[in-house]
Amino acid sequence: MSDLVSAQDLDSRLEKHRTELTGYCYRMLGSAFEAEDAVQDTMVRAWRGFEKFEGRSSLRSWLYRIATNVCLDMLNAGNRRARPMDLTAATPVAEAQLSARPEITWLEPVPDGRVLPSVADPADTAVSRETIRLAFVAALQHLPPKQRAVLILREVLAWKASEVAELLGTTVASVNSALQRARATLAEAEPAETDTADPLDDEQKALLERYVAAFEGYDMEALTALLHDDAKFSMPPYDLWLQGHADIVGWLLGVGSVCRGSRLVPTAANGTPAFAHYHPAEDGTGHTPWALQIIEIEDGRIAGINNFLDAARWFPLFGLPPRLEAPKPEPPESEEA
């Protein structure tokens, strides 16, 4: 079928590209909500400009050109989303204070289903998962916007240099130079190589099962046995982050002791394992949303526990239930006559 389509079937053709465009815009912007806004703006611009689209490139390439321009416009404000580890040093638990920063400061989580196309080559899917990890997207934010676009298009989406040059209205030499600078900057940022859920193997499943049991049972000895010695614990929108067994346990047994009795429900975010964290409800029955936890696994142990505390934003986005009801008591066993 030709990529030159009529206006009547344009809507369905555009929708086929929504998920991959959202993934592209998420890597560019570091925000799930801004990525969806950018893609919606892209679709609107495509509708309005369709009569001028003459089929000189594929519909997909045309959409990426529009999406890139939308993202570059949004990034002109100079905002760079970050993780707490990008902004401050780790704080000893004895000196820990909660200081919130505005929402626009933070790199945001994203549901896998919003950014990973459901039908794709397994190798492509593996690359897609790898490149939406929190550490990788955070590293991308260190790049100037155009270098960011070049690196994503060339390294993640495997576009040819000539295709990227045409999209950006520049030369192949300029694209290659931008890619070289972007690679050098990314090498300095050194995003950690953490495991993706692609899918989880038996060892990873067992590790996460032990983590859930330790966290829900509030067993600090069992929990620390699962953590790397230098594991990180963060809590956006607070810029505080902790590192190492002593400080993480100190927090969980101190200010964080409100997490006793919590329940964890598995989900997936940023291509990696995640949990919806529910606190005991204030009315004493069931559990209510508290945080989205994204777990980073490295070399068979947990290297990072990223707690995104704005549950009112994240739970609806991930399609998570607004409450967990208390389990019904088991009926008493009938006595034999």
Side-chain angles (χ1 to χ4, degrees), residues 5 56 93 101 126 138 145 159 167 189 205 219 262:
V5 298
R56 287 176 294 186
V93 70
R101 299 201 188 192
W159 284 40
L167 182 147
K205 290 177 182 177
D219 183 338
S262 293

Side-chain angles (χ1 to χ4, degrees), residues 182-197:
R183 283 173 174 167
T185 302
L186 210 61
E188 292 176 5
E190 292 185 356
E193 295 292 335
T194 53
D195 294 355
T196 57

Side-chain angles (χ1 to χ4, degrees), residues 276-287:
H277 177 186
Y278 290 83
H279 264 200
E282 292 183 1
D283 62 12
T285 61
H287 290 71

Side-chain angles (χ1 to χ4, degrees), residues 115-131:
V115 293
L116 297 177
S118 57
V119 180
D121 181 271
D124 292 339
T125 300
V127 171
S128 295
R129 287 187 184 279
E130 174 71 20
T131 57

Side-chain angles (χ1 to χ4, degrees), residues 204-224:
Q204 292 167 328
K205 290 177 182 177
L207 175 68
L208 293 171
E209 287 171 0
R210 291 168 61 198
Y211 172 74
V212 170
F215 195 92
E216 292 187 343
Y218 231 63
D219 183 338
M220 294 298 110
E221 183 177 352
L223 180 65
T224 54

Side-chain angles (χ1 to χ4, degrees), residues 36-315:
E36 292 195 347
D37 288 345
V39 172
Q40 191 56 36
D41 192 359
T42 297
M43 298 300 186
V44 170
R45 293 190 189 191
W47 263 108
R48 291 175 176 171
F50 181 64
E51 290 184 359
K52 298 178 182 178
F53 174 60
E54 299 175 353
R56 287 176 294 186
S57 64
S58 71
L59 179 63
R60 180 173 181 259
S61 297
W62 185 56
L63 288 173
Y64 268 94
R65 181 181 298 112
I66 298 171
T68 300
N69 289 332
V70 170
C71 288
L72 293 178
D73 288 344
M74 294 174 73
L75 290 167
N76 277 340
N79 297 319
R80 178 174 72 85
R81 290 182 177 264
R83 306 172 77 185
M85 293 76 83
D86 299 322
L87 302 178
T88 65
T91 304
V93 70
E95 302 171 15
Q97 294 183 349
L98 293 176
S99 175
R101 299 201 188 192
E103 172 272 320
I104 199 169
T105 306
W106 302 115
L107 178 69
E108 295 180 350
V110 69
D112 286 7
R114 298 290 182 106
V115 293
L116 297 177
S118 57
V119 180
D121 181 271
D124 292 339
T125 300
V127 171
S128 295
R129 287 187 184 279
E130 174 71 20
T131 57
I132 59 167
R133 292 180 305 113
L134 287 174
F136 186 84
V137 180
L140 288 177
Q141 307 306 301
H142 291 277
L143 301 175
K146 285 192 176 180
Q147 284 186 28
R148 199 180 309 176
V150 167
L151 186 130
I152 295 168
L153 291 165
R154 291 281 287 118
E155 302 275 273
V156 177
L157 301 177
W159 284 40
K160 298 177 181 177
S162 57
E163 294 172 328
V164 178
E166 182 180 356
L167 182 147
L168 294 175
T170 187
T171 64
V172 169
S174 178
V175 166
N176 289 336
S177 176
L179 179 60
Q180 186 175 9
R181 295 196 302 273
R183 283 173 174 167
T185 302
L186 210 61
E188 292 176 5
E190 292 185 356
E193 295 292 335
T194 53
D195 294 355
T196 57
D198 193 27
L200 295 171
D201 60 29
D202 290 341
E203 183 179 344
Q204 292 167 328
K205 290 177 182 177
L207 175 68
L208 293 171
E209 287 171 0
R210 291 168 61 198
Y211 172 74
V212 170
F215 195 92
E216 292 187 343
Y218 231 63
D219 183 338
M220 294 298 110
E221 183 177 352
L223 180 65
T224 54
L226 308 175
L227 303 179
H228 277 280
D229 292 342
D230 60 351
K232 299 177 177 65
F233 186 94
S234 63
M235 299 166 284
Y238 300 112
D239 56 15
L240 171 73
W241 66 281
L242 306 159
Q243 186 168 30
H245 293 182
D247 285 327
I248 292 173
V249 170
W251 177 266
L252 290 173
L253 293 178
V255 176
S257 62
V258 293
C259 293
R260 285 184 186 273
S262 293
R263 289 180 61 189
L264 300 181
V265 175
T267 184
N270 292 81
T272 57
F275 294 98
H277 177 186
Y278 290 83
H279 264 200
E282 292 183 1
D283 62 12
T285 61
H287 290 71
T288 53
W290 180 255
L292 177 73
Q293 288 189 0
I294 298 182
I295 306 298
E296 294 173 308
I297 300 173
E298 186 178 346
D299 298 327
R301 298 171 79 184
I302 293 173
I305 304 173
N306 306 276
N307 304 274
F308 292 89
L309 298 182
D310 194 352
R313 280 167 62 82
W314 309 126
F315 279 50

